[in-house]
Amino acid sequence: MSAVGPILFLDLATTTGWCDGLPVKGEKPQSGSVRLAYQGATPGEKYDALVQFIGARFAVTRYQYLVWEAPLDPRSMGGKTNVNTARTLITLAGICDLLATSYGVRPYEVHVSTVKSFILNGRRVTGAQKKTAIIEAVTAAGYSPSDDNEADAIAGWLFAANKLAGRPVDELLPLLRK
């Protein structure tokens, strides 16, 4: 198993969940959530806030990977979003790709369904139960997310550590697999 450097995972939204750390047995990553801009902010202000947030993290840590959830196709969301929200989420993902490339960090985009299937061990959950199930899963694994954005970021980081670093699932999620 090759050594992998630090991974930064982002659950992109106006309130973005983040989780970062080294995928090493016994090491817990740091996590949180950050509101990119105030209520009513322009898309440009949100984009600038993401650039500032990532830039500040890149200034302190030499990440090997920047990983983020791919934005969902708004056509698949059953009318629960609008073109402005879809445009913002797609642009936030593009900014991640741009900054990773600019800083020499490997970009990696994952689909939300892949992360959810991983963290829930294949258990099918629908609708509003998804957020609760993710929070319960990461809490059972020993984390204390402050909100669903942070919980999604922790789940994503655990998936990325498993996928990119080849860390066995039983090292990362021992409480979920018993």
Side-chain angles (χ1 to χ4, degrees):
M1 196 174 324
S2 63
V4 170
I7 297 170
L8 173 59
F9 186 94
L10 299 175
D11 174 40
L12 297 170
T14 299
T15 299
T16 293
W18 61 271
C19 186
D20 79 356
L22 277 169
V24 175
K25 184 177 181 175
E27 294 272 333
K28 231 180 186 179
Q30 297 179 333
S31 61
S33 62
V34 61
R35 184 144 178 93
L36 294 181
Y38 58 91
Q39 185 69 26
T42 67
E45 290 170 316
K46 294 173 187 176
Y47 306 152
D48 181 59
L50 181 64
V51 168
Q52 299 304 316
F53 177 77
I54 293 173
R57 299 200 78 76
F58 281 6
V60 175
T61 303
R62 176 77 176 132
Y63 293 100
Q64 185 169 356
Y65 288 97
L66 173 59
V67 186
W68 63 93
E69 279 187 358
L72 295 174
D73 182 336
R75 295 172 294 187
S76 71
M77 298 185 71
K80 294 181 182 176
T81 192
N82 61 52
V83 69
N84 292 329
T85 299
R87 177 179 161 243
T88 297
L89 294 175
I90 291 167
T91 303
L92 291 172
I95 288 168
C96 287
D97 205 358
L98 170 69
L99 291 175
T101 301
S102 294
Y103 282 87
V105 175
R106 293 180 188 169
Y108 194 83
E109 187 174 76
V110 299
H111 293 279
V112 65
S113 60
T114 304
V115 171
K116 288 190 183 351
S117 178
F118 169 81
I119 199 72
L120 297 175
N121 200 21
R123 183 170 51 108
R124 291 192 163 275
V125 182
T126 59
Q129 296 172 331
K130 283 182 188 177
K131 290 192 181 297
T132 301
I134 299 298
I135 291 169
E136 289 171 354
V138 298
T139 300
Y143 298 89
S144 302
S146 60
D147 60 28
D148 60 296
N149 302 295
E150 183 178 1
D152 285 348
I154 294 167
W157 185 91
L158 290 166
F159 168 80
N162 180 266
K163 175 78 173 172
L164 302 172
R167 302 304 305 172
V169 172
D170 62 340
E171 288 184 10
L172 296 169
L173 301 170
L175 298 173
L176 296 177
R177 304 302 188 231
K178 289 185 178 180

